[in-house]
Amino acid sequence: MRRPFAIIAAALLVGAFAVPASAADGDEDFTIKDPRITESSGLAASRLHPGIYWTHNDSDDGPYIYAVDSRTGETVARLTLTGVGTPRDVEAISIGPGNRIYVGDIGDNLGGSWPHVWIYELPEPKTLKDQTIRATQYVVKYSDGARDAESLVVHPKTGRVYIVDKNEKGGHLYEGPAELSASGTNVFRPVAAVPDLEATDATLSPDGEHLVVRSYFGAIAYDWNGGKIKREQRLGVPFLGQGESVTYTADGTRLMYGAEGADSSVEGQDPPGGSGSSSEGGSSSARGGRGSGDGLSVDLKTGAIAVAVACAALLGLRGLRRRR
């Protein structure tokens, strides 16, 4: 979703406080090089093709998803979906049991005014090449009224689909039917609160035990607990710009974070319980200090220096202008 300039400016300020990922992360980080991908809004690690990540544009693109090779950053396949009509606001992608890809056309830039949204399901192809694949389209409504959402996850064992709605004051985890129906309306019902962040994406660990929900500036990890999620800890996230996506690696050893924009970066961090995450109690981590309210891990000393430098630069520019 496009954000006002003020939001991007705020992100730049937060970036001054963010702690860079360690050099060890570089082996798994990559840049999406495809000039067609300018609004990467979702990310899903392939289990069928190691090192491949599926992504898609936010809107105004068409019924396409892209397979990006993390070793090169190059697109190795673009899938054209048929049987789905015209996508409206594609915001999320997830992979379920049997290597089934689920695409969430669940965004609503009008603030929750559309009477329904859609989920598309298709088989992940065994051969990576540009091709057309027929997808199944599911109509989705919420039991408590229309809403905006950018986060969709599929449980890796049960195949049940979940959505986290997007709200500045925090949203909810919505549970879909045990099996989606292509012939009727699929009603998603709220089963747990997801407070303290504006969710832009979410991911379930490969073992189905941990849920991570991210926002523009941070993330929070939950114990899945059979769908009755329990908050575990705040997580530090790399500053990449407009943070829109997150996925576990196929082996569950890393969390990969992405952002919108041309030549956007995807960077890895430690998953819940790893050395790169900060506990809910605010203990220090290898990458940062105390977590802030939005889940952002912050190094206060580095941030203070960065802000001081920025302020000095601004004052200098103002001084120059006065002398002109």
Side-chain angles (χ1 to χ4, degrees):
M1 177 184 291
R2 296 181 179 88
R3 303 294 293 177
F5 175 78
I7 294 293
I8 305 302
L12 292 174
L13 180 59
V14 172
F17 290 92
V19 180
S22 68
D25 295 343
D27 292 339
E28 296 183 354
D29 299 348
F30 63 96
T31 298
I32 298 175
K33 298 178 181 178
D34 192 330
R36 297 171 296 182
I37 306 173
T38 58
E39 290 187 294
S40 175
S41 190
L43 205 61
S46 172
R47 302 181 186 96
L48 185 60
H49 303 286
I52 297 298
Y53 288 82
W54 292 97
T55 189
H56 54 81
N57 281 310
D58 182 334
S59 57
D60 302 324
D61 183 24
Y64 308 118
I65 61 173
Y66 303 81
V68 179
D69 189 337
S70 62
R71 288 156 290 206
T72 64
E74 301 287 351
T75 295
V76 293
R78 184 176 82 160
L79 305 187
T80 302
L81 280 58
T82 62
V84 301
T86 302
R88 189 163 49 192
D89 191 358
V90 178
E91 291 286 358
I93 190 167
S94 184
I95 298 179
N99 300 312
R100 305 289 295 184
I101 299 175
Y102 293 75
V103 180
D105 191 355
I106 56 176
D108 189 342
N109 292 338
L110 301 179
S113 61
W114 289 327
H116 64 266
V117 291
W118 301 297
I119 293 173
Y120 314 131
E121 180 190 353
L122 64 148
E124 183 174 10
K126 294 181 180 179
T127 302
L128 292 176
K129 63 180 181 179
D130 290 357
Q131 55 190 294
T132 298
I133 295 182
R134 187 168 187 83
T136 301
Q137 177 171 293
Y138 303 108
V139 175
V140 170
K141 290 186 177 181
Y142 302 95
S143 62
D144 52 356
R147 59 202 57 252
D148 186 20
E150 297 187 8
S151 310
L152 176 147
V153 297
V154 183
H155 196 278
K157 296 182 179 179
T158 68
R160 199 159 194 161
V161 182
Y162 297 81
I163 292 173
V164 180
D165 68 325
K166 182 182 182 183
N167 190 298
E168 292 182 1
K169 298 180 181 180
H172 289 81
L173 176 71
Y174 285 79
E175 182 181 70
E179 292 186 10
L180 296 178
S181 170
S183 61
T185 299
N186 298 274
V187 179
F188 279 60
R189 306 180 186 281
V191 292
V194 182
D196 301 331
L197 87 176
E198 186 177 7
T200 61
D201 202 11
T203 183
L204 269 167
S205 58
D207 62 5
E209 296 298 323
H210 298 278
L211 172 72
V212 172
V213 184
R214 78 156 301 170
S215 69
Y216 292 111
F217 311 128
I220 297 177
Y222 295 86
D223 177 3
W224 182 247
N225 191 38
K228 299 177 181 179
I229 58 175
K230 294 182 178 180
R231 184 166 174 153
E232 288 184 320
Q233 59 195 54
R234 300 183 178 107
L235 301 176
V237 304
F239 173 70
L240 303 173
Q242 186 174 324
E244 288 277 352
S245 57
V246 63
T247 184
Y248 272 90
T249 54
D251 62 4
T253 61
R254 305 288 281 166
L255 281 166
M256 304 300 288
Y257 294 92
E260 283 194 1
D263 297 318
S264 59
S265 297
V266 177
E267 293 188 8
Q269 295 276 25
D270 291 327
S275 61
S277 58
S278 58
S279 69
E280 187 66 17
S283 60
S284 298
S285 72
R287 290 191 179 93
R290 293 183 178 271
S292 67
D294 193 76
L296 179 66
S297 180
V298 179
D299 184 328
L300 295 178
K301 184 180 291 184
T302 301
I305 293 172
V307 170
V309 171
C311 289
L314 288 172
L315 289 172
L317 287 173
R318 291 179 64 184
L320 287 173
R321 288 173 180 167
R322 289 194 187 100
R323 287 196 290 270
R324 288 179 180 176

